[in-house]
Amino acid sequence: MASAVAGPEIERLIQLLARLPGLGPRSARRAALHLIKKREALMTPLTSALQVAIDKIQVCKICGNIDTQNPCTVCTDLRRDPAIIVVVADVADLWALERAHATNGFYHVLGATLSPLDGVGPQDLTIDALVARAHDPRVTEIILALNATVDGQTTAHYITDLLQEAGVKVTRLAHGVPVGGELDYLDEGTLSAAMRQRTLF
């Protein structure tokens, strides 16, 4: 039986870090050691930032983004196009689209995608709020920016059916060959989707 090499406080820190996505037990151990070595320069400011996050971060009452103000920075940006609502499954997807400067519209975060196997049904998502927003006369297009997975596409079809009465154009992200992608390295599903959705050159 292996003996403990650190006190329970350090082991607790490692266990908590290991719960973060992308960090396994070894990575968590390395991160914990780095934090401990840089206590003054890194751990103290991180502790303070985490406490501020706990105290001030809220979920936006309009779109579901997270921010320190409510409504969020995106929803209060007057330069955005009120005609477009981009629907995403998670806040991480919203942030990814913002990093890419992919749209100047507003967003709607569902909170997840429909997944019967995981027990996620329509009542667990913010679909009713999306339908209500789609009936705003300023909105002309709903862009479904959902993952190209079975759950993502099931969610997209479900939402499309509900939006038929709203009188808005419903579009989705293009699927197919990524920029810089080589055909030989792509899976069959991506290739067939790219072939079906080919466009004029």
Coordinates of all heavy atoms in Angstrom, one line a residue, residues 34-45:
H34 N 2.5 23.5 -8.9 CA 2.8 24.8 -9.5 C 2.2 25.9 -8.6 O 2.8 26.9 -8.3 CB 2.4 24.9 -10.9 CG 2.8 26.1 -11.6 ND1 4.1 26.4 -12.0 CD2 2.1 27.2 -12.0 CE1 4.1 27.6 -12.6 NE2 2.9 28.1 -12.6
L35 N 0.9 25.7 -8.3 CA 0.2 26.7 -7.5 C 0.9 26.9 -6.1 O 1.0 28.0 -5.6 CB -1.3 26.3 -7.2 CG -2.2 26.4 -8.4 CD1 -3.5 25.7 -8.2 CD2 -2.4 27.9 -8.7
I36 N 1.3 25.8 -5.5 CA 1.9 25.8 -4.2 C 3.3 26.6 -4.3 O 3.6 27.4 -3.4 CB 2.1 24.4 -3.6 CG1 0.7 23.9 -3.3 CG2 2.9 24.4 -2.4 CD1 0.6 22.4 -3.0
K37 N 4.0 26.3 -5.3 CA 5.4 26.9 -5.5 C 5.2 28.4 -5.7 O 6.0 29.2 -5.3 CB 6.1 26.3 -6.6 CG 6.7 24.9 -6.3 CD 7.4 24.3 -7.6 CE 7.8 22.9 -7.3 NZ 8.4 22.3 -8.5
K38 N 4.1 28.8 -6.4 CA 3.9 30.2 -6.8 C 2.7 30.8 -5.9 O 1.8 31.4 -6.4 CB 3.5 30.3 -8.2 CG 4.5 29.7 -9.2 CD 5.6 30.7 -9.4 CE 6.6 30.1 -10.5 NZ 7.7 30.9 -10.8
R39 N 2.8 30.5 -4.6 CA 1.7 30.8 -3.7 C 1.4 32.3 -3.8 O 0.2 32.7 -4.0 CB 2.0 30.4 -2.3 CG 1.0 29.6 -1.7 CD 1.3 29.2 -0.3 NE 2.7 28.7 -0.2 CZ 3.2 28.0 0.8 NH1 2.4 27.8 1.8 NH2 4.4 27.5 0.8
E40 N 2.4 33.2 -3.6 CA 2.1 34.6 -3.6 C 1.7 35.2 -4.9 O 0.8 36.0 -5.0 CB 3.4 35.3 -3.0 CG 3.7 35.0 -1.6 CD 2.6 35.3 -0.6 OE1 1.9 36.4 -0.8 OE2 2.3 34.5 0.3
A41 N 2.4 34.7 -6.0 CA 2.2 35.3 -7.3 C 1.0 34.7 -8.0 O 0.4 35.4 -8.8 CB 3.4 35.0 -8.2
L42 N 0.5 33.5 -7.6 CA -0.5 32.8 -8.4 C -1.7 32.4 -7.5 O -2.9 32.7 -7.8 CB 0.0 31.6 -9.1 CG -0.8 31.1 -10.3 CD1 -1.1 32.1 -11.3 CD2 0.0 30.0 -10.9
M43 N -1.4 31.7 -6.4 CA -2.5 31.1 -5.6 C -3.3 32.1 -4.9 O -4.6 32.0 -4.9 CB -1.9 30.1 -4.6 CG -3.0 29.3 -4.0 SD -2.4 28.1 -2.7 CE -2.1 26.7 -3.7
T44 N -2.7 33.1 -4.3 CA -3.5 34.2 -3.6 C -4.4 35.0 -4.6 O -5.6 35.1 -4.3 CB -2.5 35.1 -2.9 OG1 -1.7 34.3 -2.0 CG2 -3.3 36.2 -2.1
P45 N -3.8 35.5 -5.7 CA -4.7 36.1 -6.7 C -5.8 35.2 -7.2 O -7.0 35.7 -7.5 CB -3.8 36.6 -7.8 CG -2.4 36.5 -7.3 CD -2.4 35.5 -6.2

